[in-house]
Amino acid sequence: MSTPMTIPDHSIPAIPDEQDSRINSLRYGLRLHGVSTIDHVLWLPSTTSTNDVAKAMSGSSALVISNQQQAGRGQAGRIWQSPTGNLYLSLRWTLQHPVSGRLALEVALALVNMPILAHHAGLQIKWPNDLYFNGAKWGGILIEPLHDNQVVIGVGLNLQPMQAQVTDQPVTDLTAITGQALDVAELAVQTTLALIHACQQFDHGSLELPTRFAAFDALLQQQVVVHSPAQTDLHGTIIGIQPDGALLLNTLNGTKVIYSGQVRAV
C-alpha cells in the first residue's frame, strides 16, 4: 500500500467559490478513503495541460484538475479535445519500480471498475489506453514517465455529451452510461482513488493481468491493423496480451508481440 499523504492548505490557490467547494469536497472524499497525503492539490478554471502542470510541480506527489484544457494531448502528440464540462485530471506519483506498459492497462482497468460505473455491461478498453462503452469512446489515458520512478498519469473523461465539432469518432459520456447526473467532485475522488489503486497493482506485479484485461478487451479476436512509425503496418487478429502488457497479434507470419503502436479494427 502507498504511504499516507497530507494535503497542505498552502498548496491551494485562491479560486472561485464553486471551485473552492469542489476542492473541499475532493479533499474530504479522499480523506474518507484514507488518502490524506498528496503534496500539492490544484483545481484550476483552465490550463494548457494538467500533465504539464503536474510535471512542473515539486514533491513526490501532486494532483491537478482543470475544468478546461487549452492544449490537451493524447498518445503520439495527438490533440485531446478539452471543452468545459468534463474531467481533466493528472496524478503525479512515485512508483516502487520503473514505469512500463503494464501501468496504462492497470489504470484503464481501475477506471472501468470505479464504483460510479457499478460494473455496467458494455464497458471496454482499447489497448493500450482508451476507454469505450459499446464502441463509443468516453475517456483516455496519457502516461508520462519522469525520473526516479516518478510518473504523471493524465486522464480525460467525458462527463457530458461532446459537441459534434470537437470529435471525429463515436463518443459517449458518463452521464449517458450511468443514466444519471454525476457530481464532478465525486468523479474526481473516484478517479484519483482508481489511479492510486492502479499504481499499487502495478507495484505488486499486476497479477493475472491478461485475464483481467481480457474481460474488457474491445478488440479481442478481431481483425486489426497496427500502425507504428518505426515499422510497416501489421495486419492480424488480436489474441490477448502478455503479462507485461504487450499486445499479442496473430499474423500470417506467426504471433507478433506489440509494445507500442496505434491499433485500428478493419
Side-chain angles (χ1 to χ4, degrees), residues 38-76:
I38 293 178
D39 293 332
H40 305 284
V41 176
L42 299 176
W43 196 315
L44 307 171
S46 180
T47 190
T48 52
S49 159
T50 56
N51 264 32
D52 288 346
V53 175
K55 287 195 291 185
M57 299 180 79
S58 60
S60 62
S61 58
L63 179 62
V64 179
I65 302 171
S66 183
N67 295 340
Q68 181 185 35
Q69 292 183 126
Q70 300 155 7
R73 62 185 183 276
Q75 289 293 313

Side-chain angles (χ1 to χ4, degrees), residues 192-244:
T192 304
L193 294 172
L195 300 192
I196 293 173
H197 176 71
C199 290
Q200 293 168 347
Q201 289 282 90
F202 176 84
D203 281 335
H204 286 108
S206 298
L207 299 178
E208 299 182 352
L209 179 59
T211 301
R212 290 187 287 121
F213 186 76
F216 296 95
D217 192 340
L219 296 176
L220 187 62
Q221 299 300 332
Q222 291 194 35
Q223 294 283 328
V224 302
V225 57
V226 180
H227 174 72
S228 172
Q231 60 184 22
T232 57
D233 287 355
L234 291 172
H235 295 258
T237 303
I238 292 178
I239 57 175
I241 64 168
Q242 293 192 145
D244 64 357

Side-chain angles (χ1 to χ4, degrees), residues 3-212:
T3 359
M5 308 173 280
T6 29
I7 303 173
D9 289 341
H10 63 72
S11 70
I12 303 172
I15 49 180
D17 289 345
E18 181 182 3
Q19 286 174 236
D20 187 52
S21 172
R22 286 177 174 178
I23 202 167
N24 287 335
S25 297
L26 173 64
R27 294 168 62 197
Y28 178 72
L30 291 175
R31 286 184 175 125
L32 277 181
H33 290 86
V35 178
S36 55
T37 62
I38 293 178
D39 293 332
H40 305 284
V41 176
L42 299 176
W43 196 315
L44 307 171
S46 180
T47 190
T48 52
S49 159
T50 56
N51 264 32
D52 288 346
V53 175
K55 287 195 291 185
M57 299 180 79
S58 60
S60 62
S61 58
L63 179 62
V64 179
I65 302 171
S66 183
N67 295 340
Q68 181 185 35
Q69 292 183 126
Q70 300 155 7
R73 62 185 183 276
Q75 289 293 313
R78 294 190 296 274
I79 294 173
W80 184 267
Q81 303 286 357
S82 307
T84 302
N86 300 318
L87 179 68
Y88 311 108
L89 180 153
S90 294
L91 177 70
R92 178 174 177 150
W93 198 257
T94 302
L95 301 165
Q96 295 176 12
H97 308 287
V99 67
S100 74
R102 288 189 291 112
L103 183 58
L105 304 185
E106 289 291 6
V107 169
L109 285 166
L111 290 171
V112 297
N113 283 294
M114 288 189 294
I116 210 164
L117 288 170
H119 304 286
H120 279 68
L123 290 167
Q124 303 164 308
I125 302 168
K126 180 186 172 189
W127 185 93
N129 53 13
D130 287 331
L131 306 171
Y132 281 74
F133 179 75
N134 290 335
K137 187 172 178 178
W138 59 272
I141 300 156
L142 177 64
I143 293 181
E144 297 187 287
L146 300 179
H147 54 82
D148 299 330
N149 297 349
Q150 283 199 329
V151 65
V152 170
I153 306 169
V155 174
L157 304 181
N158 296 341
L159 184 56
Q160 60 185 21
M162 295 278 281
Q163 298 299 315
Q165 66 266 26
V166 301
T167 183
D168 59 356
Q169 61 180 310
V171 295
T172 188
D173 57 88
L174 290 169
T175 301
I177 293 170
T178 62
Q180 58 182 317
L182 301 177
D183 178 69
V184 68
E186 173 59 22
L187 178 60
V189 169
Q190 292 201 21
T191 301
T192 304
L193 294 172
L195 300 192
I196 293 173
H197 176 71
C199 290
Q200 293 168 347
Q201 289 282 90
F202 176 84
D203 281 335
H204 286 108
S206 298
L207 299 178
E208 299 182 352
L209 179 59
T211 301
R212 290 187 287 121

